[in-house]
Amino acid sequence: MKGILLAGGSGTRLQPLTLAMSKQLLPVYDKPMIYYPLATLMLAGVHDILIISTPDSLPDIQRLFGDGSHLGLSIGYRAQPEPRGIAEAYLLGAAHVAGQPSALILGDNFFHGSGFRKLLLRGWESLDGCTLFSYPVTDPERYAVGELDAHGNLVSIEEKPVRPLSSNAITGLYFYGSDVVDIARELHPSARGELEITDINRIYLKDGRAKVMELGRGFTWIDAGTQLSLLEASEYVRIMESRQGVRVACIEEIALRMGLIDADSCYRLGAEMANSEYGRYVMSIAGSIA
């Protein structure tokens, strides 16, 4: 399975915070925003990942993760000079996907919840053409919205509808079969000049190959693309970590627990950040498992 982490865009909703740095490198409490979608891909069992971002942001992201080998991952990079839509990720990442099933996640999407890894694995198991993840929201007109029938089957998808048919927002996490690149190549730009991911999803739906997995009670999804949602994500992480004594989206811990690195390697990664609480946490986790 291949993964694409789309960390592009200009972050205009977060200006002036993003005038001099990438949105995905802004802090969400104790770590850069991009840690959270990367952690989601890791939990989904995706270890071969392409990060797509702007030419200006890529060097900073590459300094953060390198080739990913220290985490047991393979991370590559590709520039997206202009934001031409989410679906363009599959044109830019065609060689990376190479005809394999893949996961695409947006760089400002935050997921957390008990049993999340099991749900992600079920998403792969049920994958026919397209597996989407929905989350109930109070303002569905801001998102792509999935309408479900009484049996939980997806029957329609509307992009930012004026009169939403449901409150189920389609999140920025998508699982696709091996034919997604071919589908993306057939797309035409929308009225706003972008290749829309919703158009890909509708093609799978029309073919009867689109499923939705609902993130209900016990799960949190935040599109951290505004000042308020960025603050909400940070506060959520702060509360979870201070109350439970665990780190949300600690990529070193995930790598260790998934067997991608050993305890000694994990300890060394923590020791490199030993002056921070985060680094000391990584060292303690490595010590407890060694």
Side-chain angles (χ1 to χ4, degrees), residues 26 105 110 115 135 170 175 194 214 231 237 244 265 268:
L26 293 174
I105 190 168
F110 172 95
Y135 187 81
I170 302 298
F175 290 178
E194 296 188 358
E214 297 179 78
L231 179 61
V237 174
Q244 299 187 0
S265 298
R268 286 194 294 271

Side-chain angles (χ1 to χ4, degrees), residues 37-106:
L38 179 62
T40 295
L41 290 180
M42 294 172 69
L43 290 172
V46 178
H47 307 147
D48 192 351
I49 299 165
L50 178 69
I51 296 178
I52 298 175
S53 190
T54 66
D56 289 341
S57 298
L58 271 183
D60 292 330
I61 297 174
Q62 192 162 6
R63 277 193 293 271
L64 187 62
F65 296 130
D67 64 3
S69 58
H70 60 293
L71 296 168
L73 304 175
S74 175
I75 299 179
Y77 302 88
R78 182 74 189 268
Q80 184 184 38
E82 299 290 338
R84 297 190 179 95
I86 297 172
E88 190 190 30
Y90 275 105
L91 302 185
L92 296 171
H96 169 73
V97 172
Q100 297 186 40
S102 61
L104 169 65
I105 190 168
L106 306 186

